Amino acid sequence: MGARMDTLKINGQPAQVYDQSDLFFKTGKTYTNTVAINGGGAYNSYFLSYTNFAQDGTVPTSSFDRNTVFGKFTTQIVKDLNVTFSLNYANTKNRRLPEGYALESPVWTIFSAPVSYNLQPSVNPDGSQRLYRFSRNNPYWVLDNISNTSVVNRFLPTFTADYKPLSWLTITERFGADVYVEQGKYTESLLSVSNPNGRIVNNNTNFRQYNNDLILNANKSFGDFNVEALLGNNLISTYSQNGYANGLGITIPGFNNIGSASTVKFTETSYLTRKMGFYLQSNIDYKKFIILSLTGRYDGTSVLAKDNRFYPYGSAATSFIFSNFFSKGLSEVMNFGKLRLSYSTVGNASIGPYSLLTPYESQTIRNTTFPYQGQSGFLISQVLSDPNLKNERINEFEVGLETGFFKNRLGIELTYFDKRTKNGIIPSVALAPSTGFNATSVNSAAMRNRGIEVLLNAKPISTQDFSWDLTINYSRIRNKVLSIYKDLKQVGNGFTFIFVNQPYGVIYGTRYARNAAGQLLTDNGGLPFAADEQGIIGDINPDWMGGIVNNFRYKQFTLSFSFDMKKGGDIQNNVDGYGYFYGTPKVTEDRGPRVVEGVNATTGLPNTVSVLGQAYYQRANSVLESVIQDGTYVKLRNVSLGYNVKPTWLQKTPFKTIGFQVTGRNLWIYAPHFTGGDPEVSSFGSSNGSQGIYSFSTPTSRSLDFSLKLTL
């Protein structure tokens, strides 16, 4: 266990305490500069802007730079025909370091290194890497010897033509594209723990997406009725090509060209998908108090089989403005009231390209990786694809009430919805090995989402010099998995699991052994232990979420601040999970003996055996339930203070407006049950199976922005 820090001595001197995070992370800096010009005449207009965004990250050597040019030109070709062309070009350069579990991640060691160890210098006198743990790189060595960069050049052109052959009819042709090339390069120097011989990776992507809409929009009145109808056709074509080259063994130190690697394995993937849709939308308005909205769509996608390729869906919604019938006295109190009702069904083909095929895959047999000595080796994939998959369908019912009081000084909006998913696609349902496959995709999942949303808008104070606007929002959503596939009751989903009759996205794993009364069981050594069977130990879904936004104005000054709140929603804190073993989380500062409250599994009597803190937390390291934490938080999302110079003060200057603003973001977090940096962090991205995981991510940043805006 070692001595306490306040008693530890090195060479007879009190040991120095190292705040590893404070020494490693730095204050990031972000600079944004924008210049724009616009002008035009009676028949045309133009706008041109350039923006430079430069950011140095909180992790040393990390940076992000972006240069953006945007141009837009609109002209009237002939009467009733207007054409607009715009182009957005962006060049970005991103340098970052590995995160998460990766052996190369510097954050892992920073979070788990003891406060008594100095990680610097990063190299020994002989030039070799100075390691604290043999299985992890020194984080300061990583800064100089591991590089992960990407360069992206992106073009987004858009062409729009509006022709008005009749006063009530507009024909619009709109074409857009998204074209980018991304060049990624990863280098890992010699003597790295994970790749001692070095590694070079080139990862290049070419992406092209073309999007075209032809739209007919009609708007005409017939007596007390106003009818707006829209008919359109949409075509989307998406192509992506990726080339991935993995080079192992650097033969020339410092020469990071993949051609110098000892062995290079190259893979190339590409896909082409197309989607075609026809859509119709109409709004029928009767005397401004009854509105009926109808939509319909017929889509076809190339990712589905021929017989299932096209699918229709649509919606119907109506609203009734009942405040039109209020008496004058009632209208002075409640000046606006609207009831709305809608039902929609939406088709969704949420599968990747070529997901209906069961491909052959390159193999590694024992220690032999193919291609081997010029011979390719392929076996059919262990995941059996279903060529008959069809689109998912989401049916939703919604009812809402909108009200305004005291000349809209107070507004309340209430919404209730019930959403059900049918024919949900589950990509990996286990199969019996006797079939020759491990898993398959199915088209049978069903899920329900119900919820309420409340929005309150208020203007408590409104005078010529001072005003206060207040917005409060609240949402509560409950979801439930109704079925998966036949009699299947559970299936894995990334870091979470899907169980029938449970919310979508529960955490499943090892849990503490307990008796029938729910009391913790301990062994004869006085320590709790894992149950024989795993179980549900957490739910990533919050009980409710809310927010408060305040906007104040006093003459030329503005002040705004907002709070976000989330109640509940479990988080798997892997930083503490690993840290329990090493004794680095703050809670492990209490290393003294304790008697764990529980029942001895052998005798059935209350536990009386005392155990040391080290033994207790190292046991907790082996039980996943010990790191499931409540993600409740209150966050001061942003505070902004601004000042706009009076126009009369600028009359003798070349400027039309001058404005100053100071904005603070992520300034304060209160998370009483979460011991990590930020309960909002999702360490492995935003996909469905990656939520609720906090695992060695770079902490979120508290930022302070200063801006100056000048208009000529």
Side-chain angles (χ1 to χ4, degrees):
M1 176 164 52
R4 294 180 59 89
M5 273 303 299
D6 55 6
T7 65
L8 180 63
K9 292 186 177 181
I10 300 176
N11 297 326
Q13 300 297 319
Q16 184 174 345
V17 177
Y18 299 93
D19 186 331
Q20 306 291 4
S21 294
D22 187 60
L23 290 170
F24 183 77
F25 295 108
K26 65 174 186 175
T27 300
K29 296 181 177 65
T30 302
Y31 303 92
T32 304
N33 294 283
T34 300
V35 58
I37 59 174
N38 63 77
Y43 300 102
N44 55 67
S45 64
Y46 65 87
F47 177 85
L48 183 65
S49 69
Y50 166 74
T51 300
N52 171 256
F53 179 91
Q55 183 179 71
D56 291 328
T58 56
V59 174
T61 74
S62 65
S63 63
F64 183 84
D65 297 281
R66 181 177 62 229
N67 291 284
T68 305
V69 178
F70 176 75
K72 182 178 180 181
F73 179 72
T74 300
T75 185
Q76 185 182 84
I77 304 296
V78 296
K79 184 181 179 181
D80 298 324
L81 176 60
N82 295 299
V83 172
T84 299
F85 175 76
S86 67
L87 175 64
N88 193 357
Y89 165 73
N91 170 266
T92 61
K93 298 177 182 178
N94 188 9
R95 182 173 182 178
R96 57 196 183 276
L97 292 176
E99 294 187 11
Y101 291 112
L103 294 178
E104 305 85 3
S105 169
V107 176
W108 198 100
T109 304
I110 291 297
F111 284 173
S112 59
V115 296
S116 60
Y117 188 81
N118 186 4
L119 291 166
Q120 301 188 68
S122 62
V123 293
N124 296 309
D126 62 0
S128 61
Q129 185 179 174
R130 180 171 169 264
L131 301 176
Y132 165 66
R133 292 198 175 97
F134 73 93
S135 62
R136 293 279 174 177
N137 285 314
N138 185 301
Y140 295 95
W141 184 89
V142 170
L143 300 180
D144 298 324
N145 293 275
I146 292 182
S147 174
N148 190 14
T149 62
S150 70
V151 178
V152 179
N153 287 286
R154 191 167 199 162
F155 297 85
L156 294 134
T158 303
F159 171 82
T160 304
D162 291 316
Y163 178 55
K164 203 173 181 67
L166 301 170
S167 61
W168 52 269
L169 178 66
T170 302
I171 302 173
T172 300
E173 164 63 22
R174 181 170 59 238
F175 173 81
D178 182 358
V179 180
Y180 70 82
V181 176
E182 180 175 6
Q183 297 172 289
K185 191 176 187 71
Y186 175 83
T187 59
E188 191 173 349
S189 298
L190 294 166
L191 304 181
S192 171
V193 167
S194 53
N195 290 287
N197 296 321
R199 183 184 181 206
I200 301 174
V201 175
N202 288 343
N203 189 10
N204 298 324
T205 299
N206 291 301
F207 180 88
R208 298 190 296 271
Q209 183 177 82
Y210 304 109
N211 194 333
N212 188 85
D213 280 279
L214 177 61
I215 304 170
L216 279 72
N217 195 335
N219 192 329
K220 194 170 181 63
S221 296
F222 302 92
D224 293 331
F225 290 90
N226 184 76
V227 179
E228 182 178 359
L230 182 149
L231 177 65
N233 167 248
N234 174 251
L235 297 171
I236 299 178
S237 176
T238 304
Y239 173 79
S240 180
Q241 179 188 48
N242 177 260
Y244 182 88
N246 184 24
L248 296 177
I250 295 177
T251 58
I252 306 174
F255 183 58
N256 295 326
N257 188 302
I258 199 168
S260 67
S262 299
T263 60
V264 178
K265 184 178 180 180
F266 183 82
T267 59
E268 180 181 347
T269 58
S270 63
Y271 69 83
L272 173 63
T273 64
R274 293 189 177 95
K275 186 175 182 179
M276 177 172 63
F278 300 91
Y279 49 93
L280 173 67
Q281 177 179 328
S282 64
N283 293 305
I284 304 172
D285 181 338
Y286 176 68
K287 290 188 174 181
K288 302 294 183 181
F289 72 89
I290 295 181
I291 301 173
L292 176 64
S293 299
L294 302 172
T295 69
R297 185 159 182 135
Y298 189 64
D299 281 350
T301 175
S302 64
V303 300
L304 296 177
K306 184 176 181 180
D307 294 340
N308 299 324
R309 188 162 293 169
F310 286 89
Y311 47 92
Y313 54 94
S315 68
T318 185
S319 62
F320 172 57
I321 303 176
F322 54 86
S323 55
N324 286 354
F325 302 94
F326 286 174
S327 64
K328 183 178 180 182
L330 181 58
S331 295
E332 291 179 354
V333 177
M334 183 178 181
N335 58 281
F336 180 76
K338 180 170 77 171
L339 180 67
R340 47 186 172 79
L341 187 71
S342 68
Y343 181 82
S344 66
T345 177
V346 178
N348 179 29
S350 59
I351 60 174
Y354 316 122
S355 295
L356 309 184
L357 306 176
T358 305
Y360 283 84
E361 298 174 342
S362 183
Q363 298 294 312
T364 297
I365 309 298
R366 295 185 180 178
N367 294 324
T368 303
T369 300
F370 289 90
Y372 178 72
Q373 294 185 350
Q375 298 297 318
S376 298
F378 294 90
L379 289 176
I380 197 166
S381 172
Q382 294 298 294
V383 178
L384 176 66
S385 296
D386 183 358
N388 298 311
L389 288 179
K390 56 184 179 181
N391 64 285
E392 300 175 331
R393 187 165 293 278
I394 301 173
N395 300 324
E396 181 175 7
F397 166 78
E398 181 177 303
V399 60
L401 176 67
E402 299 177 26
T403 60
F405 299 88
F406 313 113
K407 298 181 180 180
N408 289 326
R409 293 284 294 272
L410 175 66
I412 301 175
E413 184 175 340
L414 305 173
T415 302
Y416 168 80
F417 66 88
D418 188 331
K419 182 187 299 184
R420 296 177 184 250
T421 302
K422 298 176 61 178
N423 297 325
I425 298 174
I426 303 294
S428 56
V429 172
L431 289 176
S434 58
T435 63
F437 299 92
N438 295 330
T440 187
S441 300
V442 297
N443 207 180
S444 60
M447 183 172 66
R448 182 187 69 205
N449 279 277
R450 291 176 177 171
I452 58 171
E453 297 172 345
V454 181
L455 180 66
L456 183 147
N457 292 294
K459 189 181 285 291
I461 301 174
S462 180
T463 67
Q464 183 176 352
D465 291 335
F466 182 73
S467 65
W468 172 24
D469 293 291
L470 172 68
T471 300
I472 300 175
N473 64 78
Y474 169 87
S475 64
R476 180 183 181 275
I477 300 173
R478 295 290 181 268
N479 68 57
K480 186 177 182 180
V481 176
L482 303 177
S483 66
I484 299 176
Y485 176 66
K486 295 183 179 179
D487 296 329
L488 188 65
K489 298 300 181 184
Q490 72 178 75
V491 65
N493 182 39
F495 291 97
T496 60
F497 279 75
I498 301 172
F499 281 81
V500 173
N501 294 324
Q502 292 289 335
Y504 182 92
V506 294
I507 304 174
Y508 180 82
T510 54
R511 54 185 174 177
Y512 285 113
R514 288 183 168 83
N515 61 18
Q519 295 174 297
L520 203 66
L521 295 178
T522 63
D523 57 23
N524 291 330
L527 290 171
F529 56 93
D532 293 333
E533 295 183 358
Q534 296 183 344
I536 296 174
I537 53 178
D539 178 6
I540 67 173
N541 299 284
D543 298 330
W544 57 266
M545 300 182 69
I548 300 175
V549 180
N550 288 276
N551 291 293
F552 297 92
R553 178 191 59 82
Y554 176 68
K555 294 185 178 180
Q556 305 304 117
F557 291 92
T558 59
L559 171 66
S560 66
F561 60 91
S562 63
F563 289 90
D564 287 349
M565 291 150 281
K566 185 182 80 166
K567 175 65 171 64
D570 292 320
I571 300 172
Q572 181 179 321
N573 187 341
N574 288 337
V575 176
D576 276 8
Y578 281 96
Y580 286 158
F581 185 83
Y582 299 109
T584 52
K586 186 172 180 58
V587 69
T588 63
E589 289 179 354
D590 178 11
R591 307 190 306 169
R594 82 271 324 268
V595 175
V596 178
E597 184 178 350
V599 176
N600 184 284
T602 303
T603 66
L605 299 175
N607 175 50
T608 59
V609 180
S610 178
V611 296
L612 293 176
Q614 178 173 335
Y616 173 76
Y617 284 111
Q618 288 188 338
R619 175 60 60 87
N621 165 261
S622 64
V623 182
L624 187 61
E625 183 183 349
S626 69
V627 297
I628 304 303
Q629 299 178 345
D630 183 352
T632 296
Y633 70 82
V634 177
K635 175 178 287 194
L636 180 56
R637 180 69 63 181
N638 65 65
V639 178
S640 181
L641 177 64
Y643 176 76
N644 293 307
V645 177
K646 281 187 176 182
T648 55
W649 294 0
L650 301 175
Q651 291 178 352
K652 296 182 179 181
T653 72
F655 301 104
K656 293 181 180 178
T657 62
I658 298 179
F660 306 91
Q661 188 163 287
V662 181
T663 302
R665 294 182 174 87
N666 212 36
L667 297 178
W668 174 77
I669 303 173
Y670 174 67
H673 311 296
F674 180 69
T675 59
D678 188 340
E680 277 194 302
V681 169
S682 181
S683 296
F684 295 95
S686 58
S687 62
N688 287 334
S690 300
Q691 299 300 300
I693 303 293
Y694 177 74
S695 184
F696 303 100
S697 297
T698 301
T700 52
S701 300
R702 180 186 296 117
S703 66
L704 191 62
D705 301 340
F706 301 88
S707 67
L708 170 64
K709 184 177 181 181
L710 307 173
T711 304
L712 294 173

